[in-house]
Amino acid sequence: NVKTMLNRMAKLGRLDEIPIYFEGGSFEDPLRNEEFFHTAKAFLEKLQQVKGAGAVFSIVSQIDYEMHRTDGLAVSFPEAVKLTRFGAKESGLANWTEWKNGIFMWVDHPMDNAVGIDAATRQVEKIAKAFQNENQWLTVSLFGNNLHYAPLALITAGQAPWVLVTSLLAIFLYYAWMTHRECPSLPALKGGFVIAQPFLFVSAVVIVVMAVFGIPLNIATAVIIPVVI
């Protein structure tokens, strides 16, 4: 089931993941605990409301499916847990579904939107904090790197305006210094400003083009302006 979902997401261009570890605290075997199960199910439903999120999947979804099948094969909660664990083991996905006293959850997100996945991650963290406040036994952790975007890419995308400003400021200061050294009779700041005009024009054109054509701000485009400069 997970492999099928990953293949479908790849075809749709959605393969960034926000990985989550949902830990049962003092429960010896949390997946067999109905309180843990219902809390995890409610958490999954909240994750589905995260802006920009696509498929949200976990072993909890499969257990719920086994319990509510409409083909006459529905089973009880303990049996559903047993069947789901057997299926995960047989398909080689056991290590992707649970570990020690917790389970994994995966939130898929479009792979071409670094700023969006950063905002979605912050929203997931907010939901996790709310659930932990309601359930003292619960620990929710976001872990690892996203499949396509390392944290540096998110930082770069989020700081793109400052990257532009600091790049132009560096150019201005450099040419002001050059004017002072080579043309001492000219005001250094005025000379730096005049020489920096072409770079300001290039930056403005790039910004307008991105806005008109709806080019998204992501790992490829976040640093385009300094590169063009």
Side-chain angles (χ1 to χ4, degrees):
N1 187 33
V2 174
K3 289 179 180 178
T4 301
M5 292 182 72
L6 286 173
N7 288 333
R8 288 178 180 175
M9 286 188 287
K11 291 179 181 179
L12 293 172
R14 305 177 66 97
L15 258 185
D16 273 326
E17 301 293 331
I18 302 174
I20 303 163
Y21 184 56
F22 198 84
E23 190 174 1
S26 58
F27 295 130
E28 184 176 345
D29 188 354
L31 204 53
R32 290 184 176 275
N33 184 286
E34 292 198 43
E35 181 184 0
F36 177 87
F37 170 78
H38 289 298
T39 303
K41 183 181 176 182
F43 186 75
L44 282 176
E45 292 172 354
K46 284 289 185 181
L47 293 180
Q48 291 169 350
Q49 300 173 17
V50 172
K51 184 178 180 181
V56 178
F57 53 98
S58 166
I59 191 172
V60 169
S61 302
Q62 185 64 29
I63 294 172
D64 188 60
Y65 167 76
E66 297 290 352
M67 293 170 59
H68 298 92
R69 297 181 65 151
T70 57
D71 55 3
L73 298 177
V75 295
S76 64
F77 172 68
E79 189 64 22
V81 174
K82 182 178 178 181
L83 285 173
T84 302
R85 279 178 164 168
F86 176 77
K89 182 178 180 181
E90 288 297 304
S91 59
L93 295 171
N95 292 333
W96 292 81
T97 55
E98 58 180 317
W99 182 69
K100 292 188 176 182
N101 63 332
I103 61 173
F104 296 117
M105 298 182 181
W106 311 89
V107 180
D108 122 74
H109 194 278
M111 61 192 301
D112 63 349
N113 189 348
V115 173
I117 197 172
D118 189 33
T121 302
R122 302 289 82 78
Q123 195 172 345
V124 170
E125 289 176 339
K126 186 182 295 185
I127 295 172
K129 185 176 181 180
F131 267 75
Q132 288 177 108
N133 290 337
E134 294 175 8
N135 306 277
Q136 297 301 316
W137 49 266
L138 176 64
T139 302
V140 182
S141 307
L142 276 66
F143 66 98
N145 292 335
N146 297 314
L147 294 185
H148 286 81
Y149 288 111
L152 178 60
L154 299 178
I155 295 171
T156 302
Q159 298 298 322
W162 292 109
V163 172
L164 170 61
V165 171
T166 54
S167 298
L168 293 174
L169 179 61
I171 290 170
F172 167 73
L173 293 176
Y174 172 74
Y175 281 114
W177 177 76
M178 286 291 293
T179 302
H180 174 71
R181 286 289 304 271
E182 303 298 330
C183 305
S185 61
L186 296 177
L189 295 181
K190 182 182 293 186
F193 180 75
V194 170
I195 299 174
Q197 293 303 307
F199 301 100
L200 291 172
F201 175 75
V202 169
S203 302
V205 170
V206 172
I207 291 172
V208 170
V209 169
M210 291 180 69
V212 170
F213 290 95
I215 300 173
L217 182 65
N218 57 36
I219 188 172
T221 61
V223 294
I224 190 70
I225 295 173
V227 170
V228 171
I229 291 174

